[in-house]
Amino acid sequence: MYAEGVADLGEMIMHLPLCPPDQKDAKTSQIKESITNRYLPAFEKVLKGHGQDYLVGNKLSRADIHLVELLYYVEELDPSLLANFPLLKALKTRVSNLPAVKKFLQPGSQRKPPMDEKNLEEAKKIFRMQ
């Protein structure tokens, strides 16, 4: 259930670069509203409700990894969006400091940077969207 919520929001953020320019501001506002009023409050509530360090069973799960990845996407969209979610920020820090994750997040690793115009144009060519 948690992984599906992460996937839903992740898909919205992932498709944002493909939004027509004249609709991008409205779509960005809609996504930010969903982030701060729907998705992040739900995850924060889970962590607060059971008082544990992770989403499920107080041990690291795939859902935690996916959520932390999503939190990075959220920060790339607007760093201020996490301001009111201390438990999610703590989860992000906790997971990001795990040795394997920390190594993955280092510059030069396999983690891809946010989509820029050059990469977007290349993707559109590959998927014949132009």
Side-chain angles (χ1 to χ4, degrees):
M1 178 176 73
Y2 301 134
E4 288 301 316
V6 167
D8 288 346
L9 180 54
E11 190 173 314
M12 283 189 251
I13 294 171
M14 186 179 7
H15 286 108
L16 188 57
L18 302 173
C19 187
D22 62 325
Q23 299 172 18
K24 194 166 190 168
D25 287 344
K27 189 70 169 171
T28 300
S29 293
Q30 176 190 7
I31 291 170
K32 287 180 178 183
E33 190 274 330
S34 291
I35 288 169
T36 55
N37 295 326
R38 180 177 177 197
Y39 289 94
L40 296 189
F43 289 116
E44 184 85 0
K45 182 179 178 180
V46 169
L47 293 170
K48 187 175 185 176
H50 62 49
Q52 298 177 342
D53 289 340
Y54 298 103
L55 290 173
V56 181
N58 204 29
K59 63 180 182 176
L60 184 67
S61 69
R62 188 174 117 195
D64 297 300
I65 297 293
H66 287 293
L67 178 55
V68 168
E69 180 180 28
L70 178 69
L71 296 176
Y72 276 99
Y73 294 153
V74 167
E75 281 187 329
E76 289 164 357
L77 181 64
D78 182 344
S80 71
L81 295 174
L82 282 177
N84 295 320
F85 303 98
L87 298 176
L88 290 175
K89 290 193 303 188
L91 174 69
K92 180 179 168 278
T93 299
R94 188 177 310 106
V95 172
S96 296
N97 283 320
L98 296 170
V101 176
K102 191 171 189 170
K103 182 179 177 184
F104 180 76
L105 294 172
Q106 295 302 308
S109 74
Q110 294 178 355
R111 184 171 191 273
K112 304 296 183 218
M115 181 74 71
D116 61 15
E117 287 299 317
K118 181 182 174 195
N119 289 332
L120 178 59
E121 292 304 313
E122 185 65 25
K124 285 180 177 179
K125 286 178 190 174
I126 291 169
F127 292 106
R128 303 186 197 305
M129 297 175 70
Q130 290 182 341

